[in-house]
Amino acid sequence: MIDYKNKWNRCLDKIRSNIGENRFAVWFSKVSATDFRDHKLVLRVPSRFFMEKFEDDFYNILNSALKSEFGPGVQLTYEYFAIKDDSGSKIEIQSPQHSHLLKNKLEQSVANRAVEERGNDFDPQLNSSLNFENYCVGRSNKLPFTIAEHIANHPEKSDFNPFFLYGNVGVGKTHLIQAIGIRIKERHPRARVLFVTMRHFQNLYANATIKKEIPEFIHWFQGMDAILFDDLQELSGKTGTAEALFPIFNHLHQSNKKLIFTCDRPPMELDGIADRLIDRFKWGITEPLENPDYELRRKILEFKSKRNGLDLSEEIIDMIAQSATSSVRELEGIVMGLYTRSITENAPITVELAEKVISHLVRKVEKKSVNFDMIVENTAEFYRLNPDAIFSKSRLRDIADARQMIMYLCKKHTGLSSPAIGAKLNRKHATVLHGISAVADRLEVSKELNDTVAAIEKAMLG
């Protein structure tokens, strides 16, 4: 064995004894020394992510081990293949410095041609029916649609990256981002495009953790040209998964690969996600996808009914559009309900039949909406306080109790995040979390507190 390899093996023994067997197996078992001359040692790593990990987390211990075996003048160079098993795509980057900040022209050129050279050996998880052609556009969704189409038509541009789309359930978020992926694939068939729900991403991460294949998991996702993440709110509280998403995001963004997210709320209202990741969601553009307005609801109903071979009268379309106001999904459900009933009952679609279907799918009495101001007003009234006292710095028992009750009820009845509640009450995020927890814990043992909550809710909800 060449002498430098013996020295590298002794370095590995030192590193193993310092970081432990488990971490060593994950990060160093697949690294090898390939050359040493003129005081320069070349380490071959599986991917750029390994290099970044070494520079960020293992630099001190690695540097110490190298100096003890190779001498104080040793210089370290990393090499890896941008395209797996393709020696022509080999990249060399010299340490020491934070590797993820390096700009390497060779790497950029390899990354650019990789789209054309690599094949698709995975399912992009795209539904061909969720395309732009089947997406109805109106005043309430025109801007997000325009942005989505621009991204799909010009994936080489850095505009709107990442694209963060948020809105209520059933308003068409998934359809719109799937349409982006489909258009990119139509125009660039060899592009690696992937649609993945955040829950599925978590499951894949958990499996990689069990198999001790986290670096391989991250590297695979870093090889995508566009990733469409659906339901980002599922990431809340999943620290490990978020840590894996962070280097994936960084790598793709630096390489001008597309990052697209859907969520049920804007980034600043996400709880349980590290601030550094939330900051990155804001780098591109964040757009709300509103509930469809009346004109768009009519357009959707006309499109869906014609697609299913239904001839709905203007009266029926107008009735449905005025009754079903919450989501596209609700409108689709009514159209399908009319379709199936007209077939099974062998009856024409009449106003009476439409009313019957609507009564089954649309709640006539909506739950009374509760907002922050209502909670403050009713809580202050229950505790016989001036509402202004709630926002003061006073720590009097009654005021503090009322303030914690407001925190708890806001978390229970509104879509406000803990930071948002804190901002409205002029309190820190940690204070809000403590207040919510304090009330929740006391509710388990205090009948009096349960009665208090019930009384305030009855006043608000009727």
Side-chain angles (χ1 to χ4, degrees), residues 184-212:
I184 292 175
K185 287 293 290 180
E186 287 173 350
R187 299 191 174 191
H188 308 279
R190 298 183 71 81
R192 289 171 68 88
V193 177
L194 178 67
F195 171 87
V196 59
T197 65
M198 191 49 65
R199 181 162 295 182
H200 186 48
F201 183 78
Q202 290 172 21
N203 292 337
L204 293 173
Y205 171 78
N207 190 48
T209 302
I210 293 170
K211 294 182 177 181
K212 297 183 178 179

Side-chain angles (χ1 to χ4, degrees), residues 357-424:
V357 171
I358 291 171
S359 69
H360 284 87
L361 297 176
V362 179
R363 292 167 63 183
K364 290 183 179 180
V365 179
E366 294 292 332
K367 183 179 178 180
K368 188 176 180 180
S369 178
V370 175
N371 58 40
F372 175 83
D373 291 335
M374 289 173 60
I375 292 173
V376 171
E377 180 181 346
N378 284 276
T379 303
E381 184 175 346
F382 179 87
Y383 282 91
R384 297 181 180 180
L385 297 171
N386 185 322
D388 291 340
I390 302 294
F391 302 91
S392 71
K393 294 182 179 181
S394 174
R395 295 185 180 181
L396 291 175
R397 180 63 181 271
D398 284 351
I399 296 175
D401 285 350
R403 195 180 291 129
Q404 287 189 342
M405 179 62 67
I406 290 169
M407 294 172 183
Y408 173 82
L409 292 172
C410 282
K411 191 66 177 176
K412 181 178 179 181
H413 291 286
T414 75
L416 292 173
S417 65
S418 300
I421 297 169
K424 286 181 175 292

Side-chain angles (χ1 to χ4, degrees), residues 168-187:
N168 295 328
V169 174
V171 295
K173 303 187 298 293
T174 300
H175 187 154
L176 194 54
I177 70 167
Q178 281 253 345
I180 295 174
I182 291 168
R183 176 69 59 80
I184 292 175
K185 287 293 290 180
E186 287 173 350
R187 299 191 174 191

Side-chain angles (χ1 to χ4, degrees), residues 403-448:
R403 195 180 291 129
Q404 287 189 342
M405 179 62 67
I406 290 169
M407 294 172 183
Y408 173 82
L409 292 172
C410 282
K411 191 66 177 176
K412 181 178 179 181
H413 291 286
T414 75
L416 292 173
S417 65
S418 300
I421 297 169
K424 286 181 175 292
L425 289 169
N426 300 316
R427 294 299 186 277
K428 294 181 180 179
H429 180 205
T431 304
V432 176
L433 292 177
H434 171 73
I436 294 170
S437 178
V439 174
D441 290 345
R442 288 165 55 205
L443 282 172
E444 296 181 0
V445 296
S446 172
K447 182 180 183 303
E448 181 180 354

Side-chain angles (χ1 to χ4, degrees), residues 32 208 283 387 421 458:
S32 61
W283 281 358
I421 297 169
K458 182 178 180 180

